[in-house]
């Protein structure tokens, strides 16, 4: 099975080398389980809310009903996955996707503490280095010009107050 | 005041420097996202949504709508020159458009696509202008129970016409409705799933979710592809079509416009369905159906007119009923709500400048697009040369600032990032994001009207089957039934199968 998976790389380029195949059936099961988890969350949360009556529903009625419906759909998807043959494997872990996702997490973490310009500047520089594979002087120039453009467009023209951090 | 007077007022809004500038920005950005593979109208609209917050409602909505129909124009360019559909509605244009380009006739294909799009777009705006006001007047009289019936019907139709698994689509709809319950309950003020966090009082930020689920997940998917794009470049003098091209294309443009206008009413995938139906219709009407797939100009003219004709019709449910039928109009609904404008039957009386300004701007925008798309086609094709590695940081920086600037909360950036990851994973396993987004937008109102209707009826569920609800339900179902039958009769499924085989 694994030989067959490795023989069919669906992702192009060297960055795709980081990607690992996940058998479709297992992936589908994980997603169905996650949906079931979300359904359980809504059902559990709604139990702490006034339910009202069937005729006059309270704030807990809708989330409860939706949670039950979602749980049923998740189970139905699970059952279908079990009854059908698995499709092509799904490749997860592409290098560029991971880098962008991690860099965005970094922005979310530092946006207010470091300030928008420092946070977004570092983010831009990392992406230009890793994704565009630009020379350092181009990265520095692109990042600098980009942040000036951000300042002009958002702060000067649109009046958006961005956090400046300690700087 | 009659419709003509209102339209004059609308032109006053659309022809102001602000109206013109933002209409131009909208259609230009729309064309760009339409040209760039992987960035469709939805991602384009969600990414620029936050920029509209500093504008008045009419101008903001003019810009966003410009992106919507601008992307329809731009999508055809890459379909014809590169055989990569810029957005889903342009898939069918690839077949004959690219064949024409290979035969050295890219110019006429682009010209006919642009003119067909212009005619389709303009006629559909005329239809929007004529149909929406009387429909809104009828809908003013309806109560919350009918609104619930209409919203449920829209969600059911989306499930059934969805291209993917119906089970997964239904799950996405329920998930969207459930996520929509986060925040303070509108009727009682009870906090739901906020865990004492006042930042969640108004629910999860729609902008952050929309940008994450659509924009970010799209970028992640595109990062996995590394294609070398080879575009065919036509010269300006080659754009002029021959007399025979015009003669062949004219009836196809007319039929495509009618098909697009009628099929635009189908919730969910109207613009895609209409292009397939228009293509199948042209093949059926043609005396030489064997030419299709080998560079028949009708195969470009029909679908391109149809996909632009759906844009005006798709606005009718949004503006007259307040119910978005496709994801793009869900973004518009969100934008209007953020600006304090409630779309629906009262829009025309409470905010006529928004409705008529939008209608007028769509006429102007279609002209601007025609002017932009033909002489500047070379520039738009060159956009494909910009390395994706440079585009991604630009798009993401705009997204982050845009999301933050809605509520000035950095938690919204987290919501965007996490929903982007979730959207990416769900898409990898064949879940569609459009039903989730539509349900997210409709969830609040569906619940509110559902509970309001029950309160007004003293807890009787029979209120959802009263005379008005049944009339509306029967009319809507009949209309959808006829459209479905027409789609089948003209071989919609066969056209999809043919295209899939070809791909």
């Amino acid at each position: 099975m694994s030989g067959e998976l490795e023989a069919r790389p669906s992702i192009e380029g060297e960055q795709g080398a980081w990607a690992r195949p996940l058998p479709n059936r297992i992936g589908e099961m994980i997603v169905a389980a996650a949906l079931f988890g979300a359904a359980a969350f809504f059902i559990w949360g709604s139990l702490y809310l006034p339910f009202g009556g069937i005729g006059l529903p309270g704030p807990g009625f809708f989330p409860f009903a939706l949670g039950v419906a979602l749980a049923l759909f998740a189970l139905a998807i699970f059952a279908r996955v079990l009854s059908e043959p698995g499709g092509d494997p799904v490749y997860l872990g592409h290098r560029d996707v991971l880098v962008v996702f991690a860099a965005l997490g970094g922005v979310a973490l530092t946006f207010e503490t470091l300030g928008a310009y420092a946070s977004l500047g570092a983010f831009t520089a990392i992406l230009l280095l890793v994704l565009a594979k630009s020379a350092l002087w181009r990265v520095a120039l692109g990042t600098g010009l980009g942040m000036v453009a951000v300042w002009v467009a958002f702060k000067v023209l649109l009046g958006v107050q961005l956090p400046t951090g300690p700087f | 005041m009659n419709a003509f007077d209102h339209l004059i007022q609308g032109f006053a809004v659309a022809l102001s420097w602000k109206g013109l500038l933002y209409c131009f920005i909208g259609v230009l950005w729309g064309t760009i996202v339409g040209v760039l593979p992987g960035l469709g109208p939805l991602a384009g609209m969600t990414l620029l949504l936050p920029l509209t917050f500093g504008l008045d409602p009419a101008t903001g909505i003019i810009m966003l709508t410009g992106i919507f129909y601008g992307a329809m124009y731009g999508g055809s360019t890459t379909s014809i020159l590169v055989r990569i559909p810029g957005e889903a509605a342009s898939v069918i244009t690839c077949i004959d458009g690219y064949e024409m380009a290979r035969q050295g006739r890219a110019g006429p294909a682009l010209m006919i696509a642009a003119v067909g799009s212009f005619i389709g777009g303009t006629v559909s705006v005329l239809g929007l202008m004529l149909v929406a006001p009387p429909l809104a007047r009828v809908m003013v009289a309806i109560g919350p129970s009918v609104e619930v019936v209409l919203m449920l019907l829209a969600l059911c139709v989306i499930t059934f016409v969805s291209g993917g698994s119906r089970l997964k689509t239904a799950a996405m709809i329920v998930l969207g409705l459930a996520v929509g319950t986060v925040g303070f309950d509108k009727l009682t003020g009870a906090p739901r799933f906020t865990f004492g966090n006042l930042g969640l009082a108004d629910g999860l930020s729609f902008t952050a979710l929309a940008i994450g689920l659509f924009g970010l997940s799209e970028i992640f998917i595109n990062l996995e592809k590394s294609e070398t794009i080879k575009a065919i470049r036509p010269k300006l003098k080659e754009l002029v079509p021959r007399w025979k091209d015009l003669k062949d294309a004219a009836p196809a443009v007319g039929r495509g416009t009618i098909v697009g206008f009628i099929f635009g009413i189908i919730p969910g995938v109207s613009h895609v369905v209409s292009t397939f139906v228009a293509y199948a219709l042209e093949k059926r009407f043609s005396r030489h159906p064997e030419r299709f797939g080998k560079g028949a100009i009708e195969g470009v003219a029909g679908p391109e007119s149809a996909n632009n004709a759906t844009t005006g019709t798709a606005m009718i449910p949004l503006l007259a009923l307040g119910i978005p039928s496709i994801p793009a109009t869900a973004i518009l609904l969100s934008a209007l709500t953020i600006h304090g404008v409630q779309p629906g039957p009262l829009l025309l009386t409470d905010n006529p400048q928004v409705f008529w300004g939008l209608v007028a701007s769509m006429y102007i925008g279609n002209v601007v697009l025609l002017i932009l798309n033909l002489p500047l086609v070379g520039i738009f094709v060159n956009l494909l040369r910009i390395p994706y590695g440079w585009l991604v940081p630009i798009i993401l920086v705009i997204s982050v600032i845009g999301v933050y600037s809605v509520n000035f909360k950095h938690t919204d950036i987290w919501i965007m990032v996490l929903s982007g990851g979730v959207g990416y994973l769900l898409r990898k396993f064949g879940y569609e994001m459009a039903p989730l987004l539509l349900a997210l937008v409709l969830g609040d109102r569906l619940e509110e009207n559902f509970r309001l209707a029950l309160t007004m009826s003293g807890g009787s569920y029979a209120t959802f089957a009263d005379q008005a609800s049944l009339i509306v339900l029967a009319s809507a179902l009949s209309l959808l039934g006829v459209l479905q039958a027409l789609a089948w009769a003209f071989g919609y499924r066969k056209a999809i199968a043919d295209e899939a085989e070809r791909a």
Side-chain angles (χ1 to χ4, degrees):
Chain A
M1 176 108 181
S2 63
E4 186 193 331
L5 296 183
E6 279 159 18
R8 303 186 58 180
S10 66
I11 299 174
E12 300 151 59
E14 59 183 277
Q15 298 91 338
W18 286 31
R20 292 286 173 270
L22 178 69
N24 191 285
R25 181 179 274 198
I26 291 176
E28 291 266 23
M29 283 179 187
I30 292 170
V31 174
L35 286 175
F36 192 83
F41 168 76
F42 282 105
I43 293 171
W44 166 77
S46 66
L47 296 178
Y48 294 93
L49 294 163
F51 195 80
I54 293 292
L56 292 170
F61 178 86
F62 229 63
F64 180 80
L66 291 167
V68 171
L70 187 58
L72 292 175
F73 280 124
L75 288 174
I77 292 168
F78 204 85
R80 180 183 274 188
V81 172
L82 285 178
S83 66
E84 287 178 354
D88 292 336
V90 172
Y91 283 76
L92 293 174
H94 190 279
R95 189 199 70 175
D96 291 353
V97 175
L98 293 178
V99 167
V100 172
F101 190 75
L104 275 170
V107 169
L109 207 62
T110 58
F111 196 74
E112 284 187 334
T113 48
L114 278 185
Y117 299 101
S119 173
L120 290 173
F123 172 76
T124 308
I126 289 168
L127 293 201
L128 289 180
L129 270 174
V130 180
L131 299 189
K133 295 190 181 76
S134 297
L136 272 177
W137 70 269
R138 278 190 178 185
V139 171
L141 188 66
T143 304
L145 287 176
M147 289 308 106
V148 171
V150 164
W151 178 75
V152 171
F154 289 94
K155 172 102 175 157
V156 178
L157 295 177
L158 292 168
V160 176
Q161 293 296 326
L162 294 172
T164 50
F167 306 106
Chain B
M1 227 186 216
N2 60 27
F4 184 73
D5 296 328
H6 281 303
L7 186 62
I8 297 292
Q9 277 192 346
F11 271 107
V13 174
L15 287 171
S16 65
W17 73 266
K18 240 174 144 181
L20 280 174
L21 175 69
Y22 284 96
C23 178
F24 179 77
I25 292 172
V27 296
L28 180 65
W29 176 246
T31 308
I32 291 170
V33 296
V35 166
L36 293 172
L39 271 182
L42 254 155
M45 288 167 81
T46 48
L47 291 175
L48 284 205
L49 176 64
L51 291 188
T52 67
F53 298 155
L55 305 171
D56 60 89
T59 313
I61 219 72
I62 282 172
M63 186 176 99
L64 288 175
T65 313
I67 299 173
F68 175 33
Y69 57 83
M72 298 293 170
Y73 270 73
S76 60
T77 305
T78 45
S79 292
I80 293 168
L81 300 180
V82 199
R83 204 178 188 269
I84 294 174
E87 39 87 37
S90 300
V91 168
I92 205 91
T93 309
C94 287
I95 301 173
D96 285 283
Y98 187 69
E99 274 306 315
M100 284 182 73
R102 280 183 58 194
Q103 293 161 18
R105 299 178 62 221
L110 286 167
M111 176 66 124
I112 291 297
V115 173
S117 298
F118 170 74
I119 293 172
T122 308
V123 170
S124 79
V125 181
L126 195 67
L128 165 68
M129 200 179 93
L130 296 175
V131 176
L135 185 61
R137 276 195 291 276
V138 173
M139 297 314 284
V140 165
I142 68 165
S145 59
V146 182
E147 216 169 309
V148 169
V149 169
L150 273 173
M151 284 189 258
L152 285 176
L153 180 71
L155 294 176
C156 288
V157 172
I158 289 163
T159 308
F160 280 97
V161 300
S162 154
S165 154
R166 284 176 188 164
L167 199 55
K168 288 178 178 175
T169 305
M172 286 297 97
I173 286 176
V174 175
L175 181 65
L177 291 174
V179 172
T181 62
V182 175
F184 280 20
D185 174 34
K186 290 258 170 66
L187 295 181
T188 63
R192 298 191 292 194
F193 310 105
T194 58
F195 303 103
N197 184 349
L198 280 178
L200 292 175
D202 293 327
L204 296 172
S205 161
F206 175 80
T207 315
L209 286 169
I211 293 183
L213 291 170
F214 270 101
L216 267 189
S217 67
E218 190 73 49
I219 288 171
F220 289 150
I221 297 272
N222 283 323
L223 281 171
E224 292 183 345
K225 301 170 189 162
S226 55
E227 291 167 0
T228 313
I229 293 168
K230 285 180 187 161
I232 295 167
R233 284 159 207 284
K235 291 180 183 137
L236 194 58
K237 63 181 180 187
E238 292 169 1
L239 286 172
V240 184
R242 298 173 304 196
W243 172 245
K244 188 179 178 312
D245 291 333
L246 290 174
K247 217 172 87 179
D248 290 342
V253 168
R255 285 190 287 266
T257 300
I258 294 168
V259 166
F261 185 74
I262 294 173
F263 279 79
I265 208 79
I266 300 176
V269 288
S270 56
H271 57 305
V272 183
V273 175
S274 70
T275 55
F276 279 95
V277 171
Y279 188 81
L281 189 68
E282 287 314 312
K283 205 168 171 181
R284 186 158 292 198
F285 268 78
S286 174
R287 285 181 194 161
H288 303 285
E290 70 280 359
R291 287 192 301 116
F292 281 75
K294 295 171 188 161
I297 200 157
E298 303 95 309
V300 175
E304 280 304 312
S305 310
N307 86 32
N308 277 69
T310 57
T311 54
T313 324
M315 302 293 285
I316 295 174
L318 172 73
L319 299 175
L321 312 177
I323 299 174
S325 59
I326 54 172
T329 51
I331 304 285
L332 290 176
L333 174 77
S334 158
L336 284 167
T337 313
I338 289 167
H339 280 103
V341 176
Q342 183 60 53
L346 294 175
L347 176 71
L348 277 103
T349 45
D350 293 351
N351 292 284
Q353 78 286 358
V354 173
F355 177 83
W356 293 101
L358 175 64
V359 168
S361 81
M362 286 176 83
Y363 283 116
I364 297 165
N366 274 296
V367 177
V368 174
L369 278 168
L370 189 65
I371 298 168
L372 263 181
N373 271 265
L374 290 177
L376 301 184
V377 68
I379 293 174
F380 289 125
V381 172
N382 277 334
L383 283 175
L384 295 167
R385 284 182 173 179
I386 300 176
Y388 205 58
W390 280 83
L391 273 180
V392 170
I394 296 170
I395 293 169
L396 291 180
V397 165
I398 294 172
S399 307
V400 169
I401 297 175
V403 164
Y404 179 79
S405 64
V406 179
N407 298 312
F408 296 100
K409 290 188 297 193
H410 89 288
T411 45
D412 285 350
I413 302 176
W414 275 117
I415 293 171
M416 179 190 82
V417 177
L418 295 176
S419 58
V422 170
Y424 165 72
L425 290 174
L426 286 171
R427 287 177 67 171
K428 292 284 277 185
F429 290 98
Y431 290 81
E432 291 180 29
M433 293 298 102
L436 199 159
L437 190 76
L438 282 172
L440 201 60
V441 168
L442 288 179
D444 243 12
R445 279 175 53 217
L446 181 65
E447 183 188 4
E448 201 179 325
N449 281 302
F450 178 78
R451 288 165 63 191
L452 211 57
L454 282 176
T455 306
M456 285 164 70
S457 67
S460 166
Y461 278 80
T463 188
F464 299 111
D466 64 7
Q467 203 183 359
S469 303
L470 289 177
I471 291 172
V472 170
L473 187 65
S475 315
L477 281 177
S478 311
L479 179 64
L480 290 168
V482 169
L483 291 177
Q484 181 67 30
L486 281 173
W488 279 85
F490 287 119
Y492 164 54
R493 291 280 166 190
K494 189 172 181 311
I496 289 179
D498 288 351
E499 209 285 324
E501 199 176 303
R502 207 180 296 274

